Amino acid sequence: MTDSDNTQSRQIDEMPETPVEHPFRQFVTMYMRNYAAVAGLLVFVVIVAAALLAPVILNVDPFEMVDVPLLPPGESGHLFGTDNLGRDMLVSIIYGARVTMAVGGAAAAITLIIGLSIGAMAGYYRGWVDEVLMRITEFFQVLPPLLLAMVLVALFSPTLETVAIAIGVVSWTGVARLARAEFMRLRELDFVKAARSIGGRDRRIIWLVILPNALPPLIVNAALTVGIAILFEAALSFLGLSDPNVMSWGKLIGDNRDYLLDAPWTVTIPGVAIFLTVLAMSLIGDGLNDAFNPKLRER
Amino acid sequence: MAERLLSVEGLRVEFKTRDGIAKVIDNLSISLDTGETLGIVGESGCGKSMTALSIMGLVPIPPGRIAGGRILLDGEDLLQANEQRMREVRGNEISMIFQEPMTSLNPVYSIGNQIAETARLHEGLSRADAMARALEMLQAVGIPAAEKRIHEYPHQMSGGMRQRVMIAMALACKPRVLIADEPTTALDVTVQAQIFDLLNDLKEKTGTAIIMITHDMGAIAEMAQRVVVMYAGRIIEQAGVTQILTDPRHPYTQGLIRCVPHLTRNPTVERPPLLEIPGVVPALSQLGSGCAFAPRCPYADAKCRAEMPPSRAVDSGHDVACWLTEREAAA
Amino acid sequence: MSDDDDILLDVAHLKVYFRLPRKNIFAKASRVHAVDDVSFQIKRGTTLGIVGESGSGKTTTAMAVMRLTPITSGAMRLGDTDLAALEGEDLRHARTRMQIIFQDPYSSLNPRVRAGAIVREPMDLMNIGDPADREGRVADLFRKVGLRPEQQALFPHQFSGGQRQRIGVARALATQPELVVCDEPVSALDVAIQAQILNLLRSLQDEFGLTYLFISHDLGVVQYMCDEIAVMYLGQIVEYADRISLFTEPLHPYTWALLSAVPSADPATRARADRIRLQGDPPSPIDLPPGCRFSSRCPFAEARCVQETPPLRSIRPGHAVACHLVSDDGVPPQRRS
């Protein structure tokens, strides 16, 4: 109703002369109000810190066989026990975090770049550009993603780069559709027309005028994509389609799956790690969504 | 004094906001007789829509709160009524039409169904009877080929037709009070004229009392017999429509009438600048102790800024809340 | 029209058609005749108003003049420049000479850019003036439109609707344009705020000698703002006259109906017996039949109105109408009988 307007109308002389609160600080305040999202962020920070600091805090090779295989957690000073080859699970988990986060992050970035470029072009130019790009998008959408990723990794060498690219290539379609919808909505708004009428070129309008306004839902989506990419990486590693020379959580599960009944921790611990990371990403996405949504800000 | 159909006495509505408590409606009293149209005028944020929602029992609680007053429909205090009774009242005895006819209709049901549903809900009519009532109502609001269009969906109709459907729906249970919240703002002027004629005709025929909420003095002139001017949640002037238009006493009412370029049939070459009301409506949570209009008023003095002016009669049926008229009376 | 030299904008036979998606592959493609053969001229320093209801094509005309919507055919000259023929960089440069003020002050400002940067942006993009002077010019523009220069650091959401519209006006003036298109500049504002913006637009016109193309559905506002007025109905101009003649002697039955439909605060106007009420809504502008487009709602329509499209013909100098029923000596159908 019209009465909701009165928060917007303010007496001229009461107008603050400088912004009371920078939009970014307002954003942080809003995010902090979502406790689950803060918890997710904490988990994420701990994992990233562990991944980054792994070589510093544990100057060991995760592939080194240090003890008897399949030791339960806590025995002989191995907090998480040992795996089927007698490697320390804690070290493997920490080193695995590096790979998992790197592949997850890189794949999400690739997803965002491909999806955003295609979606932005289709939504902004529309017409035949839209037709062509959307047919391509649909082509990728109907392919089974895991199978396509497996084929890509199998065709090329199973390095981390290939894995990240393969995951990116199979999961950008959602971002493209989202970006297209946002660009189509925003390009009709008057401030975009205004940007054209003051002589803005297409490139400027797409990247500097529309994109900043289209980013919020895309960033939320990117956070969720990191989670999905981590699951993908785990699935590929589990199937033995990842780089055999680096430790990852999926690889741990894959290597130890035969001992599931005798030494359940070997599979459960990396499983819980994946679960926590994906959950954290999803909570972060949720928190970002709240913080970006100006309607919730008023409460 | 005879019993009024609807009377609102000393209504207070507060909203909790980040900046504190906002008195959205402060000590509002209005009354309405059968067959009368009362106009409520003001800018957005003056509390006119909230008045309507209060009468309908639709104030969102929280953040809203009814802080005091009574709303009497035939002597029954609606503020004391329970939710079940209010459901009976809404749509049956008091109904409302809104500004935006597109979003007020459900897109997945045919218009006939939607009107019939109201009638079935409140009067327990059978399906066939309710559809017959719906057809009757569509004909009453002047929808051509009503027996065919009754099966159409909202998106198949134009804005004017949709607003007619809204009116048909609001009138389906023959309410005694119809609240029209800016019913023609979204419509073209030629269609607006048709809707005004329609509302006036229906009022003549059924005796339904109308509360017409608008910001347009012209619409008030066409529709209302009595006018209430609201500013920042309070009534600042109340009078018969001719008195308001020809002899507005409050500087805000004068401003509202004079700041709009009125269409005239004999324009002059000279076009003097329009009267401006400077500034904007203040945030309700930041009102001081004085007259809420004082910061924008060209005649405001220290007293205006310090003390809220009481409402007093300047003429029969003409009440104004302004220190200026007090001073004139004293002089 | 008089002296050709002082004509700033000359639009001739402008057509803007939109193609609708086919319902199925065998269906004929429908076209919306949004603007259909519209011609007008605006003298330098004056205001031409285009008035009409929804679907009349008034906003599309404005967008076509601004080259913000593709035109189907027609000629548009801004001074010596053929606007309709410009493309790419040439069009970009020509844009300094024409600017637009939008209807909705909430969607017309980029919410992520500070007010000062919004006003400065056109100067940076068009390379207007010395970059060192631009800061001063922005402050100057803020004062000119009634804002305080200190308010440059604020974001759009921190302003009220009227103030946001002032920012929009300042942005439009930043390139020192000759023509300013005002697309319903006050219809989204509160009544008490409208006067502030209308007065501002008129004083700026006096100060800078601006030429306005003023689009509105509000006849009162048009009467106050414009020197000449074109009334549009379903994509065509049905009446074109100077301000005084249009309102004192409206010729077209549609103009007449429009004037009588406006609710009036003046009891004398309301009591006039010659008010006419139209039935129904304006029809949709898709695949229009031949004949006068107003004939379906016109209380005076005859057989030939449905068959032949009436041309826009001049009845008196400066007063043209497109209606078969207006006699050559200027007696409209509503005045007869």
Side-chain angles (χ1 to χ4, degrees):
Chain A
M1 291 293 112
T2 43
D3 290 85
S4 62
D5 291 354
N6 47 38
T7 43
Q8 278 156 2
S9 11
R10 229 167 245 159
Q11 200 66 32
I12 287 191
D13 294 313
E14 286 167 20
M15 289 280 299
E17 289 180 8
T18 45
V20 243
E21 211 177 2
H22 192 274
F24 180 71
R25 288 196 44 191
Q26 212 179 1
F27 175 83
V28 171
T29 319
M30 263 324 287
Y31 187 92
M32 290 301 169
R33 281 197 206 170
N34 184 336
Y35 298 130
V38 174
L41 188 66
L42 282 179
V43 171
F44 177 74
V45 168
V46 167
I47 295 169
V48 170
L52 288 176
L53 299 175
V56 184
I57 46 177
L58 302 160
N59 195 10
V60 279
D61 180 355
F63 286 94
E64 193 184 336
M65 290 170 253
V66 291
D67 215 317
V68 194
L70 303 178
L71 269 179
E75 277 187 34
S76 314
H78 303 293
L79 192 59
F80 286 176
T82 57
D83 70 359
N84 63 331
L85 295 175
R87 300 177 295 206
D88 189 303
M89 285 289 290
L90 179 63
V91 176
S92 300
I93 289 288
I94 291 176
Y95 273 87
R98 287 170 76 80
V99 173
T100 303
M101 294 314 274
V103 172
I110 293 170
T111 301
L112 201 61
I113 290 168
I114 304 179
L116 185 59
S117 310
I118 293 199
M121 296 297 156
Y124 183 77
Y125 289 107
R126 299 194 294 193
W128 66 267
V129 179
D130 182 33
E131 286 291 321
V132 171
L133 291 177
M134 282 301 109
R135 292 302 87 77
I136 295 174
T137 309
E138 276 157 20
F139 173 76
F140 276 91
Q141 269 184 314
V142 297
L143 294 171
L146 185 60
L147 218 58
L148 177 61
M150 285 167 65
V151 169
L152 285 175
V153 176
L155 276 181
F156 304 96
S157 58
T159 61
L160 287 187
E161 289 82 1
T162 322
V163 172
I165 291 170
I167 297 172
V169 165
V170 299
S171 47
W172 58 268
T173 51
V175 177
R177 291 207 161 267
L178 186 66
R180 172 175 175 266
E182 277 297 292
F183 269 70
M184 278 195 164
R185 179 179 70 83
L186 289 163
R187 66 159 274 156
E188 296 307 323
L189 292 186
D190 286 344
F191 71 81
V192 176
K193 283 189 204 139
R196 274 167 74 200
S197 70
I198 59 174
R201 297 182 176 89
D202 282 354
R203 242 181 313 152
R204 178 189 169 80
I205 292 172
I206 292 175
W207 302 119
L208 295 179
V209 180
I210 301 184
L211 182 62
N213 288 286
L215 270 184
L218 292 172
I219 290 177
V220 173
N221 195 275
L224 300 176
T225 310
V226 172
I228 294 167
I230 288 172
L231 287 176
F232 250 112
E233 192 277 337
L236 288 174
S237 303
F238 176 84
L239 295 171
L241 281 165
S242 187
D243 194 335
N245 302 316
V246 292
M247 189 54 76
S248 86
W249 295 343
K251 179 176 154 62
L252 274 177
I253 299 177
D255 286 353
N256 291 294
R257 65 184 156 198
D258 293 345
Y259 312 96
L260 181 63
L261 293 178
D262 304 323
W265 63 89
T266 52
V267 180
T268 321
I269 291 173
V272 168
I274 293 173
F275 169 75
L276 279 180
T277 315
V278 175
L279 179 68
M281 290 319 296
S282 152
L283 292 175
I284 290 172
D286 197 43
L288 289 173
N289 197 22
D290 284 0
F292 279 127
N293 194 334
K295 276 189 188 144
L296 292 169
R297 253 181 225 177
E298 288 303 318
R299 297 218 184 112
Chain B
M1 204 170 86
E3 187 106 306
R4 286 294 177 69
L5 172 60
L6 177 77
S7 64
V8 177
E9 295 172 1
L11 180 68
R12 290 173 203 277
V13 179
E14 294 178 348
F15 265 68
K16 204 180 253 172
T17 69
R18 273 195 305 177
D19 308 333
I21 299 286
K23 290 182 181 169
V24 178
I25 294 178
D26 194 6
N27 198 13
L28 176 119
S29 301
I30 52 174
S31 59
L32 190 66
D33 289 322
T34 302
E36 187 185 34
T37 301
L38 174 75
I40 303 183
V41 206
E43 289 174 88
S44 37
C46 73
K48 54 190 198 299
S49 292
M50 201 45 70
T51 306
L53 292 182
S54 307
I55 296 171
M56 293 291 284
L58 291 174
V59 173
I61 299 174
R65 188 172 84 88
I66 308 283
R70 299 197 295 168
I71 296 176
L72 301 174
L73 179 72
D74 268 344
E76 178 193 3
D77 189 353
L78 296 182
L79 290 179
Q80 305 300 325
N82 60 23
E83 184 50 33
Q84 195 200 333
R85 171 72 188 129
M86 278 316 290
R87 269 200 301 272
E88 278 169 33
V89 169
R90 280 198 290 268
N92 205 2
E93 292 171 60
I94 307 179
S95 53
M96 188 161 172
I97 49 179
F98 297 90
Q99 190 178 121
E100 189 33 77
M102 189 68 232
T103 50
S104 313
L105 288 169
N106 189 334
V108 301
Y109 293 104
S110 75
I111 56 162
N113 259 328
Q114 293 188 53
I115 301 170
E117 188 59 29
T118 321
R120 290 181 68 188
L121 212 66
H122 287 295
E123 297 187 10
L125 296 180
S126 74
R127 228 190 132 68
D129 287 349
M131 279 312 263
R133 169 73 68 84
L135 182 62
E136 182 193 326
M137 292 320 299
L138 287 177
Q139 281 160 344
V141 297
I143 290 189
E147 52 290 339
K148 241 165 64 192
R149 306 206 75 159
I150 193 167
H151 302 296
E152 287 190 356
Y153 290 84
H155 71 267
Q156 292 170 295
M157 315 193 94
S158 67
M161 285 299 152
R162 282 198 294 262
Q163 194 58 287
R164 284 168 194 272
V165 171
M166 283 301 300
I167 294 171
M169 210 147 99
L171 295 178
C173 292
K174 310 202 158 54
R176 289 187 289 168
V177 180
L178 175 69
I179 303 176
D181 187 1
E182 308 250 7
T184 56
T185 315
L187 303 178
D188 280 324
V189 51
T190 55
V191 181
Q192 165 175 296
Q194 298 167 26
I195 298 290
F196 284 167
D197 286 352
L198 170 67
L199 286 174
N200 277 330
D201 280 359
L202 291 171
K203 189 183 72 176
E204 303 262 297
K205 277 189 208 136
T206 62
T208 301
I210 300 177
I211 297 179
M212 167 97 180
I213 295 171
T214 181
H215 61 265
D216 182 352
M217 277 293 178
I220 285 292
E222 299 268 344
M223 294 288 295
Q225 280 92 55
R226 278 190 313 117
V227 186
V228 162
V229 183
M230 288 186 74
Y231 189 78
R234 297 183 139 253
I235 294 178
I236 52 125
E237 186 159 4
Q238 178 160 206
V241 67
T242 333
Q243 283 166 307
I244 283 279
L245 291 174
T246 55
D247 185 24
R249 293 297 184 84
H250 197 286
Y252 179 66
T253 316
Q254 293 167 359
L256 265 191
I257 294 173
R258 302 230 310 266
C259 72
V260 181
H262 289 287
L263 182 66
T264 153
R265 286 298 183 83
N266 32 13
T268 51
V269 179
E270 278 305 306
R271 281 173 281 173
L274 296 169
L275 180 88
E276 286 181 30
I277 306 177
V280 291
V281 181
L284 291 171
S285 51
Q286 290 160 7
L287 290 181
S289 60
C291 171
F293 187 61
R296 301 172 75 186
C297 181
Y299 313 108
D301 61 11
K303 188 172 189 188
C304 297
R305 278 181 279 270
E307 234 181 295
M308 187 92 76
S311 179
R312 62 183 291 277
V314 290
D315 204 343
S316 81
H318 193 162
D319 297 342
V320 182
C322 177
W323 288 120
L324 208 65
T325 55
E326 292 281 309
R327 260 178 269 156
E328 280 167 10
Chain C
M1 307 276 150
S2 60
D3 196 354
D4 269 4
D5 290 346
D6 60 1
I7 301 258
L8 176 67
L9 180 72
D10 186 350
V11 173
H13 307 291
L14 176 68
K15 289 181 186 168
V16 182
Y17 296 166
F18 297 117
R19 207 174 278 280
L20 290 180
R22 287 160 203 253
K23 290 223 173 82
N24 62 61
I25 51 165
F26 303 109
K28 226 178 82 190
S30 301
R31 288 202 297 184
V32 180
H33 295 228
V35 178
D36 203 359
D37 202 4
V38 159
S39 307
F40 57 84
Q41 298 178 322
I42 315 179
K43 292 195 201 82
R44 205 176 280 275
T46 67
T47 303
L48 173 76
I50 299 185
V51 67
E53 295 180 279
S54 50
S56 64
K58 55 188 192 305
T59 292
T60 311
T61 307
M63 292 299 155
V65 167
M66 285 299 297
R67 289 295 310 272
L68 289 173
T69 205
I71 56 177
T72 308
S73 70
M76 299 191 293
R77 300 190 70 82
L78 182 70
D80 303 327
T81 319
D82 186 355
L83 269 187
L86 292 182
E87 283 308 330
E89 281 300 290
D90 294 334
L91 176 60
R92 219 176 73 81
H93 287 298
R95 288 191 187 283
T96 50
R97 300 175 55 198
M98 49 183 199
Q99 286 294 306
I100 179 165
I101 298 166
F102 293 93
Q103 170 177 5
D104 180 3
Y106 287 90
S107 79
S108 65
L109 306 180
N110 189 338
R112 296 184 183 271
V113 181
R114 291 178 199 270
I118 288 176
V119 177
R120 187 194 166 104
E121 200 179 12
M123 295 187 247
D124 288 342
L125 283 173
M126 301 293 211
N127 210 9
I128 288 167
D130 190 336
D133 300 336
R134 283 179 199 157
E135 206 163 307
R137 246 190 74 67
V138 173
D140 206 35
L141 281 166
F142 264 65
R143 275 188 290 267
K144 284 254 159 35
V145 299
L147 294 167
R148 294 201 312 275
E150 310 89 81
Q151 292 174 322
Q152 284 182 53
L154 299 177
F155 284 92
H157 72 265
Q158 293 172 294
F159 292 90
S160 68
Q163 289 175 318
R164 294 176 58 124
Q165 199 58 304
R166 288 174 195 269
I167 299 173
V169 174
R171 170 177 61 193
L173 296 184
T175 63
Q176 293 168 299
E178 295 159 76
L179 175 73
V180 177
V181 174
C182 309
D183 183 18
E184 305 254 17
V186 297
S187 55
L189 303 176
D190 254 323
V191 272
I193 307 299
Q194 294 189 2
Q196 298 174 9
I197 300 296
L198 294 177
N199 284 342
L200 173 69
L201 287 174
R202 281 194 51 194
S203 71
L204 290 170
Q205 179 166 41
D206 289 345
E207 187 173 348
F208 298 108
L210 297 170
T211 307
Y212 289 145
L213 174 60
F214 195 94
I215 312 294
S216 181
H217 70 278
D218 186 330
L219 287 157
V221 169
V222 166
Q223 187 176 60
Y224 175 71
M225 289 298 291
C226 305
D227 302 298
E228 293 195 318
I229 292 137
V231 181
M232 281 186 78
Y233 189 80
L234 286 181
Q236 291 179 329
I237 293 180
V238 296
E239 188 160 2
Y240 190 108
D242 64 84
R243 170 170 166 273
I244 305 281
S245 342
L246 186 86
F247 291 104
T248 46
E249 292 170 83
L251 294 178
H252 200 283
Y254 176 65
T255 314
W256 188 266
L258 212 50
L259 290 174
S260 30
V262 176
S264 169
D266 174 13
T269 312
R270 263 181 294 139
R272 282 174 75 126
D274 57 359
R275 300 175 101 189
I276 56 176
R277 282 285 191 264
L278 293 181
Q279 295 300 309
D281 296 4
S284 96
I286 304 168
D287 293 327
L288 288 159
C292 171
R293 292 181 180 185
F294 184 59
S295 56
S296 61
R297 292 174 84 199
C298 181
F300 310 104
E302 296 171 359
R304 72 173 157 155
C305 299
V306 189
Q307 290 147 8
E308 284 170 57
T309 308
L312 189 68
R313 64 205 163 99
S314 186
I315 300 294
R316 283 187 288 276
H319 199 150
V321 66
C323 175
H324 292 307
L325 304 175
V326 177
S327 66
D328 288 337
D329 53 354
V331 179
Q334 59 269 21
R335 281 256 185 265
R336 266 181 250 138
S337 81

